[in-house]
Amino acid sequence: MACLNNNCKEVSIEKKMIKEEESYTLDGAVDRHGRPAIRGRTGTWVAGILLLVNQGLATLAFFGVGVNLVLFLTRVLGQDNADAANNVSKWTGTVYIFSLLGAFLSDSYWGRYKTCAIFQAVFVVGLVLSSVSTSVFLLKPSGCGDEDTSCGSHSAFHIVFFYFAIYLVALGNGGYQPNIATFGADQFDEEDPKEGHSKIAFFSYFYLALNLGSLFSNTILGYFEDQGMWVLGFWASAASAFVALVLFLIGTPRYRHFKPTGNPLSRFCQVLVAASRKWKVQMTPGGENLFEVEKKESATNGARKILHTEGFRFLDRAAIMTPRDYADGQEKNIDGRNPWSLCTVTQVEEVKCILRLLPIWLCTILYSVVFTQMASLFVEQGAAMKTTISNFHIPAASMSSFDILSVATFIFIYRRVLDPIVARIKTKPKGLTELQRMGIGLVIAILAMVSAGIVELFRLKYADKDCPSCENASSLSIFWQVPQYMLIGASEVFMYVGQLEFFNGQAPDGLKSFGSALCMTSISLGNYVSSLLVTIVMKISTRDDMPGWIPGNLNRGHLDRFYFLLAALTTADLVVYIICAKWYKYIKFEGRSGEDNSTDGQAAAELKV
């Protein structure tokens, strides 16, 4: 009988495992055929790891072209430094503008899988054309393009062809980037406790994959391109992008999908028009008697309903029911109402959600100003320090490797050490919220700027003020920059990873890719604000007898004051951010079972300092 009982237990366990494998996800995801996604056969880390490798390879490909594009424009196309820097800024800004296009197409019409596949194919084509343009047209005479040998003149057709190719790269990468992070998060069912935890971890590993890809391109490919091996660098980037696309397509049977929800602009306009039409209608207290569809899912193509929240009460008027909303002779939905006169609570809350996200997003722009210094002023500062060990020269730009190593280290420390400890101490809500982590990122960014300013003070102390060139003009070793790079890396783990999680979690179901695009536009605007700030500072600080804070010869300037100014501005930004974070109300979803499935409730929104 004991043996028989053991057999029964084994059969029972086997049936339970089969049942778990055949069970559907709870978040409404579907497979590639549009059927409800089966948990054991779709998504999870099998799909997630494919997408992480895809992201690493695509980042390697993008930065393989972008990291030394200024050098390419000056050495190969013969542009001066100012024109080259300006053209690269325009190109970089275009990448982030295209991220909004990719997010719009994904959320509205194509879905994330189709959008990622199409824009990655465009990305590969752009890189191949860039490689062909470089190897066939531009590198004439053969062997030109290094530090010593400039290339000859080029026809207008050759230059136009090259710009067409690199702007295809911008289109492909820009449209792909905001969607791949969200598509990766789609592979985990947030309504399942185990997969929900994996979804949070995915964003950390996603940012790590991005940094590891850029590490290889900044060091290995960057070195070859600096030596004039442009053909090798460009074709290696094209090959990396092609492999990334192949890996992405291989995972097709395994992916989970969410259906696109239609044009969000029309939904937003409907809310504004409906609320304006009813500006005289009497409001009921507590949001009672507001219109919502009866079924479990909202009227927005299967998206979850969003529960009513206080604030922006004027918009609530769009959901107040009046007899005119169902009058004859007007445009009507399937449920018989005029969508320009009566909107659902979910539709109104979508608009409220975006309005609440904007102040938080605006506060992240100044952090991006600090972050961009790593690719500009940090490099100029490093070039004016001692960059040799014995006879070995250390390129100033290669110091960014310490930033990437810092990101990898602090992701591990946060995921494996800090988060479990804080979760035991702080249980309601459990652990640090995304808003709190972003606030910590701002604090660390302030420390990074203070560190950079102090290093600059000591660099000036040991500098030769009358040097004709600033290269190696100070006896202070470039390795004194390591702390500021490490601090920037640590701040990224808290700010950018927290930002990805926050905007993905707080965006309505129909605007998830738009949430990821906000992160990219924050970086873009940070570049523009940084450029504007430098221009203003130089205009104010330059006098007849003073060359300004950031002159061509840094030994005659005061770069330290600019760093301390950024620290002060970031401190002011932190104060504003804390106020906005305390004011922010977390979005409250209604679970597909009809339960309140809000993100840690209203208490989670408070940023306690």
Side-chain angles (χ1 to χ4, degrees):
M1 285 297 290
C3 181
L4 186 61
N5 286 338
N6 285 337
N7 288 337
C8 289
K9 287 179 182 178
E10 289 175 6
V11 170
S12 176
I13 292 171
E14 190 176 328
K15 285 182 177 179
K16 185 178 179 181
M17 291 174 64
I18 293 173
K19 186 178 180 180
E20 287 179 355
E21 185 180 327
E22 297 292 333
S23 65
Y24 297 120
T25 58
L26 304 174
D27 59 357
V30 297
D31 62 17
R32 60 175 173 156
H33 301 295
R35 300 175 299 212
I38 298 175
R39 187 180 305 282
R41 299 181 184 177
T42 59
T44 64
W45 282 113
V46 176
I49 289 172
L50 271 177
L51 295 175
L52 290 175
V53 176
N54 168 270
Q55 168 65 12
L57 290 171
T59 304
L60 187 159
F62 176 73
F63 283 105
V65 171
V67 72
N68 275 328
L69 188 56
V70 169
L71 283 180
F72 185 89
L73 295 180
T74 53
R75 293 180 182 179
V76 179
L77 296 188
Q79 298 179 6
D80 59 39
N81 287 331
D83 287 340
N86 191 31
N87 285 327
V88 171
S89 294
K90 290 177 183 176
W91 181 74
T92 305
T94 305
V95 172
Y96 296 116
I97 290 172
F98 283 141
S99 73
L100 294 174
L101 172 65
F104 175 78
L105 291 173
S106 170
D107 289 333
S108 304
Y109 304 112
W110 289 354
R112 285 183 269 281
Y113 171 80
K114 185 176 180 181
T115 306
C116 285
I118 290 174
F119 279 106
Q120 278 192 86
V122 172
F123 184 47
V124 172
V125 170
L127 286 167
V128 169
L129 292 180
S130 300
S131 304
V132 170
S133 171
T134 302
S135 57
V136 176
F137 300 135
L138 300 180
L139 290 178
K140 303 293 182 182
S142 180
C144 71
D146 59 12
E147 192 173 0
D148 302 318
T149 311
S150 297
C151 295
S153 59
H154 308 289
S155 69
F157 170 76
H158 293 163
I159 293 174
V160 169
F161 185 86
F162 174 74
Y163 273 108
F164 172 74
I166 63 169
Y167 272 90
L168 272 183
V169 172
L171 172 63
N173 187 262
Y176 151 84
Q177 275 296 335
N179 292 295
I180 195 68
T182 311
F183 188 56
D186 289 346
Q187 307 311 310
F188 302 95
D189 181 3
E190 64 182 18
E191 298 197 23
D192 175 79
K194 184 178 179 181
E195 288 195 25
H197 184 74
S198 297
K199 181 175 182 175
I200 294 172
F202 175 83
F203 288 108
S204 296
Y205 297 132
F206 178 85
Y207 197 72
L208 177 62
L210 187 152
N211 275 270
L212 291 177
S214 64
L215 174 64
F216 185 87
S217 57
N218 286 351
T219 52
I220 308 299
L221 289 186
Y223 172 79
F224 286 125
E225 290 173 354
D226 187 54
Q227 299 299 311
M229 302 180 191
W230 296 104
V231 174
L232 174 62
F234 277 45
W235 278 112
S237 296
S240 178
F242 178 75
V243 173
L245 176 59
V246 170
L247 284 175
F248 178 82
L249 296 176
I250 286 174
T252 299
R254 185 79 193 190
Y255 296 139
R256 295 175 186 172
H257 307 265
F258 287 90
K259 297 175 183 177
T261 57
N263 190 342
L265 296 178
S266 63
R267 298 200 300 272
F268 282 25
C269 291
Q270 287 169 358
V271 171
L272 297 176
V273 170
S276 300
R277 282 181 172 181
K278 298 176 181 177
W279 69 279
K280 290 184 178 180
V281 175
Q282 189 68 31
M283 292 286 295
T284 55
E288 296 177 4
N289 301 322
L290 297 180
F291 175 73
E292 185 58 277
V293 294
E294 296 289 337
K295 56 185 181 180
K296 292 181 180 179
E297 296 172 338
S298 75
T300 312
N301 198 12
R304 289 172 294 179
K305 290 181 184 177
I306 307 176
L307 301 178
H308 177 262
T309 58
E310 296 298 326
F312 300 106
R313 285 178 59 81
F314 172 77
L315 296 175
D316 288 339
R317 298 176 188 275
I320 296 177
M321 291 180 284
T322 64
R324 291 181 58 191
D325 299 329
Y326 293 88
D328 293 332
Q330 298 190 63
E331 177 189 346
K332 294 183 179 181
N333 271 353
I334 297 174
D335 51 18
R337 63 185 169 89
N338 174 13
W340 295 91
S341 179
L342 179 63
C343 303
T344 65
V345 170
T346 295
Q347 202 173 334
V348 172
E349 290 299 321
E350 269 192 335
V351 180
K352 288 185 182 182
C353 174
I354 298 303
L355 292 177
R356 289 187 180 117
L357 285 175
L358 288 178
I360 301 293
W361 172 72
L362 288 171
C363 289
T364 65
I365 293 173
L366 198 58
Y367 172 82
S368 294
V369 173
V370 172
F371 175 74
T372 58
Q373 304 314 309
M374 190 171 57
S376 55
L377 292 182
F378 279 17
V379 177
E380 292 186 28
Q381 181 188 35
M385 301 173 76
K386 183 182 178 183
T387 58
T388 56
I389 298 179
S390 186
N391 293 324
F392 182 74
H393 171 68
I394 302 165
S398 68
M399 292 297 290
S400 62
S401 302
F402 287 100
D403 164 75
I404 297 168
L405 292 173
S406 175
V407 168
T409 302
F410 278 95
I411 282 178
F412 176 81
I413 291 173
Y414 177 76
R415 298 293 318 164
R416 300 296 180 185
V417 181
L418 185 59
D419 192 39
I421 292 173
V422 175
R424 291 178 185 174
I425 299 170
K426 187 172 176 288
T427 56
K428 290 186 179 181
K430 192 173 183 180
L432 295 171
T433 66
E434 294 96 340
L435 286 174
Q436 289 168 335
R437 285 156 55 194
M438 290 160 68
I440 292 171
L442 280 172
V443 172
I444 300 175
I446 295 168
L447 296 177
M449 287 298 98
V450 172
S451 173
I454 292 172
V455 168
E456 179 63 12
L457 283 172
F458 279 94
R459 190 196 69 78
L460 287 172
K461 184 178 178 180
Y462 295 101
D464 179 6
K465 298 286 194 299
D466 299 319
C467 67
S469 168
C470 269
E471 296 292 328
N472 297 312
S474 176
S475 60
L476 191 70
S477 171
I478 193 174
F479 285 103
W480 282 102
Q481 282 192 310
V482 170
Q484 64 203 56
Y485 277 103
M486 295 291 285
L487 286 169
I488 290 289
S491 70
E492 289 175 62
V493 172
F494 287 96
M495 172 56 81
Y496 281 143
V497 176
Q499 204 176 335
L500 275 171
E501 290 181 31
F502 178 73
F503 286 125
N504 183 271
Q506 292 303 297
D509 285 346
L511 292 167
K512 293 293 186 185
S513 295
F514 174 76
S516 296
L518 283 178
C519 301
M520 295 189 68
T521 51
S522 169
I523 299 172
S524 175
L525 289 175
N527 278 278
Y528 293 131
V529 172
S530 176
S531 178
L532 177 64
L533 189 60
V534 169
T535 302
I536 293 172
V537 164
M538 285 300 293
K539 191 167 186 178
I540 294 174
S541 63
T542 302
R543 295 288 184 272
D544 293 336
D545 57 339
M546 295 176 60
W549 287 2
I550 318 171
N553 184 346
L554 290 182
N555 294 332
R556 300 186 181 209
H558 281 286
L559 183 57
D560 55 309
R561 294 178 185 176
F562 184 75
Y563 286 143
F564 292 138
L565 173 65
L566 280 181
L569 290 174
T570 310
T571 302
D573 183 55
L574 175 63
V575 173
V576 176
Y577 173 80
I578 291 171
I579 295 170
C580 292
K582 283 182 172 291
W583 167 80
Y584 183 80
K585 293 181 180 178
Y586 271 58
I587 192 171
K588 296 180 180 180
F589 290 106
E590 182 179 293
R592 297 181 189 275
S593 61
E595 299 175 354
D596 179 352
N597 199 26
S598 61
T599 312
D600 294 328
Q602 177 57 32
E606 297 180 3
L607 186 74
K608 298 178 181 177
V609 182

